[in-house]
Amino acid sequence: MRFLTVELLTLKSGYIYIAFACVLAACAPESTSWTSKAFHNTTAHYNGYYYALEEITKIEGTIRKNHKDDYNRVLKLFPPLDSVLAKSYDKEIQEAIKMASIAIQRHPNSKWVDDSYVLVGKGRLYSFDWGNAIQTFKFVNTKGKELNTRHEALIWLARTFTEHGEYSNAEATFDFLQKQKLNKTNRKNFYLEKAHYYQMRGDDNNFVSNLTEAVPLLKKKDRPGRIYFILGQVFQELGFESEAYNYFRKCLETHPEYEVDFYARLYMAQVAEISKSRNIANARKSFKKLLKDSKNKEFKDKIYYEMGVFELKQNNIKEAFANFELALREGNNTQIDGEAYLKMGEIYYDTLKNYEFAKLYYDSAVSTLSKDHEEFNAVKSRQEILAEFVTHLKTISWQDSLMVMAKMDSAALMEHITAVLESQKLPETNSRKKKKRNRIDISQVNSTLNTATGLEGTDWYFGNPSALALGQQEFRRIWGSVPLEDNWRRSSRAMPATQRTGPVASADNTPNEEIAPAEETIDADPVLTEFNRISKELPKTEEQVAEALSKIEDAHFHLGDVYYFKLQEKDNAVKTYETLLTRFPETTYKPEVLYKLYLMHKDTDVNRAEQYANELKNNFPETTFAKILINPDYLLESSQVVEKQKVIYKKAYQHFEVYQLDSAIALLNEAIALDKTSFSPNLELLKILALGKTEETARYQYRLEEFIKQYPEAEIKDYAAKLLAALRDFELKREKEKGIRYIVSLDEPHYFVMIFRTDAKLEDIAAKTLDNFNQANAASAGLKVSNLIFDETHSITFVSGLTGLKDAQQYYRTFIEKQPTLNALKPHKFNTFVITKNNFDIFYRTKGLHEYLQFFEKNYIPKNP
């Protein structure tokens, strides 16, 4: 019996071993039996693939959670990928790729291999490993066994191309998939990915088209409410408000998360069909209902903002502005604040044409809106234009005010400043301002939209950028730029160093002991502070008045340009330019202004345009603007002349370098004679350099000075100024080293010099008189008369060609004898003398008139015996 039992046990163990061996054989990766397939499919699915999918799902949740939707813009269909955020889920990426790889390597014959490869590709996509992600999806498409998975891989390949900005490759992939027969899931994902592609490209029409195709295929996990909401937003933006309303309503029917639900209801009120006053009233009731709902407390700023947009559509500017101000008071969403500031700025800019106030709101919008706002660059550009506009406007106003105040005595000026400061004080806040912030009555918001000057804004100080800017300016005026720190108002902080301790005058005006400041000081008198500041800026001398007028002149010109080119306000541009011409009839801007006035009138007022054109051609025929009027092809022809001049310039410079100065000057004269072009200053300066090699230093210095005056706008002017400065520095340094020493060697060529004050305007009279004198007394000597500016106050007329000392002395004696008969010179004061060429260089360089007159008297005037 025992033997039989042992036999039975042995036989049973053998069966177990055989069964176990069969199972092991079925588990072999290379086996293709049905048991092997079942084992590997089950193990791959519920081990490697399952855990990899869990990690990828977790990563997608992290990406979605960290993306904050901006409901002021069309929501993103998919949250954008962030390379910084990707570092935070790198561990999950590695784990997902590891688990998917296990499923691939240990179960190569399972049906989950292709799906595992797709998960590997997604992991690489989310980790910004573009190259490997693309290769992985391409591998699945070419080597995959299951058609639907290959299609899935291609859809993710298109997504990778889109995220990486390879739009042509993405479009090619979509074109291929369009021709394939896709299952429901892949077809839905195909349309969603294609919609995402068009959203990235900013193509709203194709975005909506593909998203609409995906709608019937959506499931609950796809968050259909959000997609309906996005469709509603796009249709609203495209102007199809009826379609937008329907999609917002569909969104609400899906019971989405509360934030989407709230905004759907809010936008439904915006796009409700408004055809009768009753419908407008219903829309307003919808907004008020949203305001009353306690669940919407944190969204009040957005509700007020949308109410403002709604009223703006109805052209109710005053109500719109009031709602935008309330949006600023409620909540703390900076994006909504930025949008509200922008809308208020647009009201001032587009509707009221009040650019000074518009500038304040655009400043706030730029500082509040995020840099990735789709309109940020346009808003920033307009803000810069407005800043330039206000700068010029304030320059005119301030400089005019200064010139008026400069004519007042101290008492009148003090009284004027007091009146201005009193008028700028903000009204005292009343007891009603103590109400809670969320109980502000809209009816209390002050506005003067129906006045010519525009808006007053709100009486809530920090909601009014105008008042805020004024307050900041007043604070800086009184306290200066004080850092944000404790005890900033203590005496040692509040007062400048010059006021902290100082002598105090007694009754008899004698200074007393210095008084140490108290721990806390009394506020400085703002009227006195402003009086002292303004007094320093008042234009009192002729030079200061001229400088103020020059600033006003420049500001008028640039203000006209801003109106004309940047604000597209032709009427205001015309007024500004005409004011410039009326107030400054001799302005250097006149040719350009006349040309612009001609352009602005040629299509609307032909007669006025012709007047401007004739004045330009008659009075400024040599300007580029006149030449363009005469010959519309002038600029083209001029550019051809410039090219010819450049070729000649190159040859002239080659001659200049090897000191062939006559040849260089001849070539330069040839180029200059072609025409006056933008390249002419280059030719003139090279000619001055060539002449400077052979002329005296004074003449070279004079030519450089005249060049700088003649071409103030030329790019090469700065180089000429450097040459002139270097020459002056060198000569002054040399003269300082040895003092002003005139050369006693007198037997050499001389000049006869007449020097007089420039304001006497004697140049032409002196030159003509000396020419006549030469013809009468030295006709055969070949003498030449020239004019020269000596310094800021004196000019010179001189005669060159006197061969030596005897000729110079004889000429001087003859002139002195004949001077009483030279009637044209009788009313004028001047000095005359003769001077050698070398001494003239020293004289002109050092401006040593007094020293030379002493030298002349000592060496040229004979002593009485």
Side-chain angles (χ1 to χ4, degrees), residues 78 125 130 133-134 137-138 141 150-178 186 189-198 200-201:
F78 298 135
L125 165 62
W130 309 111
I134 290 169
F137 292 131
K138 284 183 176 180
N141 179 51
R150 295 209 305 270
H151 289 160
E152 182 186 0
L154 283 175
I155 291 169
W156 278 102
L157 177 63
R159 171 71 175 278
T160 306
F161 284 140
T162 301
E163 296 293 346
H164 194 219
E166 299 181 41
Y167 297 123
S168 58
N169 288 335
E171 197 157 354
T173 307
F174 286 129
D175 290 343
F176 176 81
L177 284 167
Q178 187 82 44
N186 282 337
N189 290 332
F190 166 75
Y191 287 125
L192 290 175
E193 290 294 347
K194 199 171 182 183
H196 171 63
Y197 164 81
Y198 283 116
M200 294 282 283
R201 300 302 303 273

Side-chain angles (χ1 to χ4, degrees), residues 478-491:
I478 296 173
W479 297 103
S481 297
V482 181
L484 186 61
E485 59 184 15
D486 292 339
N487 300 322
W488 65 269
R489 201 166 178 255
R490 295 173 74 88
S491 59

Side-chain angles (χ1 to χ4, degrees), residues 437-456:
R437 197 174 167 205
N438 62 353
R439 295 179 58 194
I440 293 174
D441 186 359
I442 297 176
S443 64
Q444 294 177 6
V445 179
N446 292 328
S447 178
T448 55
L449 286 164
N450 52 353
T451 65
T453 55
L455 302 161
E456 275 183 3

